[in-house]
Amino acid sequence: MMAHLLHTPFVPSSSALRRTPIPHRKTTAPLVVRAKIREIFMPALSSTMTEGKIVSWIKSEGDKLSKGDSVVVVESDKADMDVETFYDGYLAAIVVEEGGVAAVGSAIAFLAETEDEIPQAKSKLSSSSSSPSSSSSAPAPAPAPPAESQPEKVAAAAPVSVAPAPSVASSHPASEGGKRIVASPYAKKLAKELKVELGRIVGTGPLGRIVAKDVEAFAAAGNAAASSAPAPQKSEAAGAVELGSVVPFTTMQSAVSRNMLESLAVPTFRVGYTITTDALDALYKKIKLKGVTMTALLAKATALALVKHPVMNSSCRDGNSFTYNSSINIAVAVAIDGGLITPVLQDADKVDLYSLSRKWKELVDKARAKQLQPHEYNTGTFTLSNLGMFGVDRFDAILPPGTGAIMAVGASQPTVVATKDGRIGMKNQMQVNVTADHRVIYGADLASFLQTLSQIIEDPKDLTF
């Protein structure tokens, strides 16, 4: 009777209701079975980095990973840095072996969500690595394997590991004279504390990497283990430049090369100035026992002068405008094994001299261990380069891209000078030469800054406040 009132039979509508869930179940079923295999990419560890070198794998294939775990140590253009995973899972397959180089954004490993998916990740690696070689002989089968793994890949097709295969040999750069020593960050730190030379240790880690237990064992043996053959190895390594050989740039040397070429596009000019350092030398003798360094003194003096001449702390990046930087961050050039880096003393005008000296020592230690973080070397607003400790009396420095000026500091030397009363006297003097971006800084700006700097150095009472 109800069906009569509604003018609609219940039977068709109820059957329609029964039919609707059926296609719904069919469409959702396949979505549940997808494997979660992710790619671990080569990260950009600095703004200038285009490729990175795998120093060492902290984790091995098959290891379980948790979000935030350090997986691999990567050599960027400035430092060695630990790279962490953003996901839980298993390190299923390593694409780029230790010593291999990969472009930023390319896959260096595969991460599986579950242990059961590790074989699938390995087959994915083998299929992708075999596709270039098989393409020449049989182009038809090559597209088949990528079709299966295509939905899982986030970016990039072919792996970038150009030279990992040869590096999976019994020997390793860690134990080859003249090549870069490959050791875990903790092993490097331990070697420094125990005063052990890493080049004399044979690594037992993956692919010959030196690990902490190798350092401890070598130190415990009283360096006896290396007494049989270190001398020839060292002599070969020290003077082992093979004449006529072609040596490729390291990652850091490539970065320096790019920066130097970029600096050629900036119109620069140079101004020299002679500064008497008797008062600064006397102050240094009084406070160096408290841990104060000459670098910190020069950085502090420069920062105080920049406060009065903000245009010297400015920078031009687009060629159409320039920025008065809000912080005075003094970058200081440091020579390290295989290159050059500029650790930064941030807010040098505000930090007291003693804290600045402690910070400088910390930065140098980190730079030589290749452990500087990007903000510790790429935030400089004014650069110092000091060759005075080598007896160099004067030199010119090349302007780093993105900054307004760099000051080259020569050695302080006894000099015969005419005194104000017309007599001849002896004073310690140093020569500084500043290279500046002429789009922003003009001759009068630079001359005025150097006058202020000279006054601060010749009467350094404000440096210790």
Side-chain angles (χ1 to χ4, degrees):
M1 179 167 173
M2 185 68 72
H4 213 58
L5 290 170
L6 294 173
H7 303 289
T8 347
F10 278 116
V11 181
S13 60
S14 60
S15 65
L17 286 171
R18 280 197 302 272
R19 269 190 227 106
T20 28
I22 297 167
H24 181 66
R25 282 196 300 270
K26 282 182 180 174
T27 52
T28 54
L31 299 178
V32 188
V33 219
R34 283 174 85 175
K36 275 281 174 115
I37 297 172
R38 294 186 171 94
E39 292 177 339
I40 299 176
F41 293 107
M42 175 63 73
L45 301 176
S46 72
S47 56
T48 57
M49 179 176 166
T50 57
E51 62 181 24
K53 182 179 180 180
I54 304 296
V55 176
S56 61
W57 283 97
I58 299 170
K59 301 290 186 182
S60 303
E61 287 187 355
D63 284 358
K64 190 174 188 336
L65 305 178
S66 298
K67 183 178 178 181
D69 282 354
S70 294
V71 181
V72 61
V73 180
V74 171
E75 178 189 18
S76 72
D77 50 4
K78 298 292 184 184
D80 290 356
M81 297 183 70
D82 289 6
V83 176
E84 300 175 351
T85 175
F86 294 108
Y87 301 97
D88 297 337
Y90 292 84
L91 184 58
I94 290 174
V95 179
V96 184
E97 297 287 351
E98 292 183 358
V101 176
V104 168
S106 61
I108 57 174
F110 289 119
L111 182 72
E113 192 174 68
T114 65
E115 205 167 358
D116 296 336
E117 293 165 357
I118 292 178
Q120 188 175 345
K122 286 183 178 293
S123 66
K124 187 176 180 180
L125 170 62
S126 58
S127 66
S128 58
S129 58
S130 63
S131 60
S133 58
S134 63
S135 62
S136 57
S137 56
E148 188 182 338
S149 57
Q150 188 70 20
E152 314 302 331
K153 289 184 80 86
V154 183
V160 191
S161 50
V162 183
S167 69
V168 190
S170 57
S171 62
H172 190 269
S175 56
E176 290 176 12
K179 292 191 179 179
R180 188 178 184 282
I181 295 169
V182 180
S184 70
Y186 181 60
K188 290 179 182 178
K189 182 183 176 186
L190 200 60
K192 189 173 181 183
E193 290 172 357
L194 298 175
K195 295 183 169 57
V196 169
E197 189 179 339
L198 284 172
R200 299 170 68 186
I201 301 175
V202 177
T204 61
L207 297 170
R209 177 168 62 113
I210 297 170
V211 292
K213 66 177 182 179
D214 300 327
V215 179
E216 289 167 346
F218 187 86
N223 298 351
S227 59
S228 56
Q233 272 191 342
K234 195 159 185 186
S235 62
E236 279 177 22
V241 178
E242 190 180 338
L243 300 179
S245 61
V246 177
V247 182
F249 279 166
T250 63
T251 313
M252 181 176 286
Q253 287 170 331
S254 297
V256 171
S257 175
R258 286 194 301 272
N259 285 341
M260 294 304 94
L261 288 172
E262 188 180 338
S263 70
L264 292 175
V266 179
T268 59
F269 73 108
R270 296 164 180 82
V271 173
Y273 204 92
T274 302
I275 302 175
T276 300
T277 62
D278 289 328
L280 187 71
D281 294 338
L283 174 64
Y284 178 57
K285 282 179 185 175
K286 282 196 329 190
I287 60 177
K288 70 177 180 179
L289 294 176
K290 297 179 182 178
V292 174
T293 63
M294 182 56 78
T295 297
L297 276 168
L298 290 172
K300 185 69 175 176
T302 303
L304 293 180
L306 289 172
V307 170
K308 299 180 180 180
H309 302 274
V311 71
M312 293 296 301
N313 193 51
S314 63
S315 56
C316 173
R317 287 181 169 82
D318 59 4
N320 299 312
S321 62
F322 66 98
T323 304
Y324 285 109
N325 292 304
S326 56
S327 299
I328 296 177
N329 299 335
I330 306 295
V332 185
V334 172
I336 60 174
D337 184 25
L340 181 75
I341 198 165
T342 51
V344 177
L345 289 166
Q346 298 185 357
D347 296 316
D349 57 319
K350 298 171 184 171
V351 179
D352 68 86
L353 187 60
Y354 303 99
S355 300
L356 211 59
S357 296
R358 287 193 296 272
K359 185 63 178 176
W360 177 243
K361 185 179 184 307
E362 176 194 325
L363 288 170
V364 171
D365 288 345
K366 289 176 77 173
R368 293 196 169 135
K370 301 195 75 180
Q371 293 298 312
L372 285 175
Q373 298 299 306
H375 71 275
E376 293 175 318
Y377 61 77
N378 64 10
T379 54
T381 57
F382 187 98
T383 307
L384 290 180
S385 182
N386 184 5
L387 291 180
M389 69 286 288
F390 298 108
V392 175
D393 61 351
R394 68 188 66 203
F395 69 102
D396 285 332
I398 299 175
L399 182 68
T403 59
I406 180 172
M407 184 164 71
V409 181
S412 176
Q413 297 176 329
T415 309
V416 176
V417 297
T419 60
K420 290 180 181 177
D421 57 3
R423 300 187 180 188
I424 292 177
M426 187 76 73
K427 290 182 181 292
N428 286 329
Q429 292 186 329
M430 71 176 181
Q431 179 81 20
V432 297
N433 290 337
V434 180
T435 303
D437 183 345
H438 212 333
R439 297 172 300 177
V440 180
I441 299 166
Y442 304 134
D445 299 323
L446 187 41
S448 181
F449 163 76
L450 287 170
Q451 282 182 334
T452 302
L453 178 65
S454 175
Q455 289 164 8
I456 292 170
I457 289 176
E458 291 175 5
D459 185 15
K461 61 182 185 297
D462 293 338
L463 295 182
T464 52
F465 289 131

